[in-house]
Amino acid sequence: MALDQSHVIQAFIQLSILVFSLSLHEFGHAYVANRLGDPTARMLGRLTINPLAHADPIGTILFPLIRFLYPGVLLFGWAKPVPVTPENFKNPRRDGALVAAAGPTVNVLIALVSLLALIILVNSQFFDLDATSQGILLDFFKFFFWLNFALAVFNLIPLYPLDGSWIIKALLPGPLSYQYSRIDRWGIWILIAGLYLGFLDYFFQPAIKGLVIVLHLLGMDNLIALL
């Protein structure tokens, strides 16, 4: 498939948004871990939003770029995981869950900021933008929103190595948590199968429906149509 210049530029913009979002996600893990008494990430230079500290050449750059250039290709990305030493926590189970939840929480916050930007663009004449410029900005923030929404939902799936697995293990009683951990060795293979067979939609579809319901209850039906 031939790639025109505008499509290549769009792919690199999307890649930049992904790298930025993943870097903030990992920074969230490092920040909360440090606040809860584990300096491991800080000592290894991961308490930063600098993408160079978090980017994986394959998972953060190559695979996502291929995906953005060729949307039909089923690939997903990742960043370098933030190292954590649970023994440094006062309450390893609880604090480990809080560290795990910090990454998706950051993505939710970014998504909310993107929604705010969309609301301002649609309802304010302050910027006095022409239709083309406004359309470009709307597409930019829509992508920002949906990417971070997807990152939050995906990372909350309760399968290793995703953040949701650590949260669910902390919530389960000890014996059940141990039994649940036994499927960790299969987690990545289940995720890959879910990507190609489509059953990850069982997580995304309810999340999207929940988003629509919340926006409707807040009287933001015009925003629903925009998204």
Side-chain angles (χ1 to χ4, degrees):
M1 177 179 121
L3 297 173
D4 59 58
Q5 185 179 16
S6 63
H7 183 67
V8 173
I9 292 172
Q10 181 185 46
F12 275 95
I13 291 173
Q14 292 173 334
L15 179 66
S16 299
I17 294 173
L18 175 67
V19 171
F20 174 75
S21 301
L22 287 176
S23 297
L24 284 182
H25 176 104
E26 298 301 330
F27 170 78
H29 289 314
Y31 177 81
V32 173
N34 188 63
R35 289 296 301 267
L36 292 174
D38 176 26
T40 306
R42 174 171 55 81
M43 294 172 66
L44 293 174
R46 301 296 300 278
L47 189 59
T48 176
I49 62 172
N50 184 351
L52 295 177
H54 304 293
D56 178 273
I58 303 297
T60 314
I61 306 298
L62 181 60
F63 278 11
L65 182 58
I66 294 173
R67 176 68 175 81
F68 293 141
L69 288 172
Y70 303 98
V73 178
L74 291 178
L75 292 173
F76 60 86
W78 63 87
K80 292 189 290 188
V82 165
V84 175
T85 306
E87 292 79 10
N88 290 328
F89 296 139
K90 292 181 180 179
N91 187 327
R93 280 169 60 86
R94 180 203 66 192
D95 295 348
L98 291 173
V99 171
T105 300
V106 168
N107 293 124
V108 170
L109 292 175
I110 297 173
L112 290 175
V113 171
S114 302
L115 274 182
L116 178 61
L118 288 169
I119 292 170
I120 293 173
L121 279 170
V122 170
N123 296 295
S124 174
Q125 302 301 318
F126 176 78
F127 299 103
D128 193 26
L129 297 172
D130 59 78
T132 301
S133 298
Q134 186 181 49
I136 291 172
L137 283 176
L138 287 174
D139 288 341
F140 177 82
F141 285 111
K142 280 165 63 176
F143 183 81
F144 232 122
F145 169 79
W146 283 117
L147 176 71
N148 280 277
F149 179 84
L151 285 174
V153 174
F154 180 72
N155 278 283
L156 288 173
I157 295 174
L159 283 171
Y160 180 85
L162 301 179
D163 300 321
S165 69
W166 302 104
I167 297 172
I168 199 72
K169 289 171 194 174
L171 295 174
L172 290 172
L176 285 177
S177 180
Y178 172 76
Q179 292 297 324
Y180 193 80
S181 297
R182 297 180 67 179
I183 69 170
D184 284 356
R185 70 183 74 180
W186 309 108
I188 187 64
W189 302 110
I190 296 173
L191 285 172
I192 292 173
L195 175 68
Y196 284 93
L197 297 178
F199 62 75
L200 292 186
D201 288 345
Y202 289 108
F203 294 95
F204 284 98
Q205 292 302 324
I208 293 172
K209 289 179 181 177
L211 170 68
V212 170
I213 291 171
V214 169
L215 291 178
H216 175 70
L217 292 175
L218 293 173
M220 296 182 178
D221 293 314
N222 60 330
L223 195 56
I224 295 173
L226 176 64
L227 291 173

